[in-house]
Amino acid sequence: GAGVSQSPSNKVTEKGKDVELRCDPISGHTALYWYRQSLGQGLEFLIYFQGNSAPDKSGLPSDRFSAERTGGSVSTLTIQRTQQEDSAVYLCASSPTSGGGYNEQFFGPGTRLTVL
Amino acid sequence: KQEVTQIPAALSVPEGENLVLNCSFTDSAIYNLQWFRQDPGKGLTSLLLIQSSQREQTSGRLNASLDKSSGRSTLYIAASQPGDSATYLCAVLPYGNNRLAFGKGNQVVVIP
């Protein structure tokens, strides 16, 4: 069956440009998460969507980062005026529900962003 | 704030040896703990999920234990193979939270 998909797989951009990263969660999963994995760092949480509830944006590192989820399915993470420190692998995950011991998160292959 | 530590950061073992990977976390108030595998340039593959009420989970050659009170989990891989070479990540889901807290991983190389 189809897992979480992300596009593009790689993105190289120039400092100051805006980028959009896309995530298609597993069909039927109500919860969607964005994480970032920087070189030498662990994975850090960015943002979380659950159904029609207001997203948890508390992990976004600056106001240059935003995300939306349309129709409870596809999500787009937007980074405006990219900086070199934004270079990282951006991972999306989805789960059938949120919270609780049964919440297993399934990850996509990631988008590797390089800001020159 | 929940902190997750994985030691050692990197290890090499000869093929056929058993692998033991350790994960510790500072706050025992968790819903569950997940072990993931990450191959170079790839995303995360979920290996095992242990709910807070469970002590261990098994899948094939993999066994993961959870001692919530002491804040520890161990991933055990029996009879390692070169295809087991990867980075293994431990993550916990804290109570009242929807975000996984990750360790930095154990980078494993199995030598043929």
Side-chain angles (χ1 to χ4, degrees):
Chain A
V4 178
S5 61
Q6 293 185 245
S7 60
S9 55
N10 280 285
K11 176 71 175 179
V12 180
T13 190
E14 294 179 348
K15 178 182 172 181
K17 296 284 181 67
D18 297 351
V19 295
E20 283 189 355
L21 312 179
R22 177 187 168 105
C23 171
D24 281 271
I26 293 172
S27 178
H29 281 193
T30 60
L32 186 148
Y33 314 78
W34 283 97
Y35 294 86
R36 177 169 73 173
Q37 187 176 34
S38 303
L39 190 64
Q41 304 286 327
L43 276 88
E44 58 174 328
F45 166 83
L46 296 177
I47 188 169
Y48 156 75
F49 296 89
Q50 170 57 38
N52 295 320
S53 302
D56 175 359
K57 304 180 183 179
S58 58
L60 295 178
S62 79
D63 58 9
R64 295 185 297 103
F65 287 71
S66 63
E68 59 181 24
R69 188 178 184 192
T70 54
S73 181
V74 171
S75 176
T76 302
L77 176 69
T78 301
I79 309 173
Q80 295 178 310
R81 304 181 302 281
T82 51
Q83 303 293 313
Q84 288 182 331
E85 61 262 28
D86 299 334
S87 296
V89 176
Y90 290 82
L91 292 159
C92 175
S94 70
S95 64
T97 182
S98 66
Y102 297 95
N103 178 1
E104 183 172 6
Q105 296 186 22
F106 297 87
F107 282 75
T111 294
R112 180 174 298 277
L113 175 65
T114 303
V115 182
L116 301 176
Chain B
K1 179 186 172 184
Q2 176 75 265
E3 293 189 4
V4 181
T5 304
Q6 293 185 248
I7 295 173
L11 69 159
S12 298
V13 297
E15 180 178 2
E17 273 200 9
N18 299 325
L19 270 167
V20 180
L21 306 178
N22 295 304
C23 171
S24 61
F25 47 96
T26 54
D27 189 340
S28 62
I30 63 170
Y31 283 124
N32 63 45
L33 181 145
Q34 270 185 271
W35 280 96
F36 295 89
R37 169 183 172 138
Q38 186 174 33
D39 292 286
K42 305 290 186 182
L44 276 64
T45 300
S46 180
L47 298 174
L48 291 166
L49 180 146
I50 311 175
Q51 297 171 40
S52 62
S53 59
Q54 297 176 323
R55 302 281 288 187
E56 67 176 348
Q57 281 286 343
T58 299
S59 176
R61 295 184 294 112
L62 276 60
N63 174 278
S65 65
L66 174 64
D67 183 344
K68 200 174 68 165
S69 60
S70 67
R72 294 181 183 176
S73 176
T74 300
L75 178 66
Y76 178 87
I77 304 176
S80 61
Q81 304 169 358
D84 294 329
S85 298
T87 296
Y88 293 84
L89 293 160
C90 168
V92 298
L93 186 66
Y95 278 153
N97 213 319
N98 297 298
R99 63 188 72 177
L100 287 171
F102 282 87
K104 293 189 177 181
N106 305 110
Q107 186 175 8
V108 172
V109 174
V110 180
I111 303 164

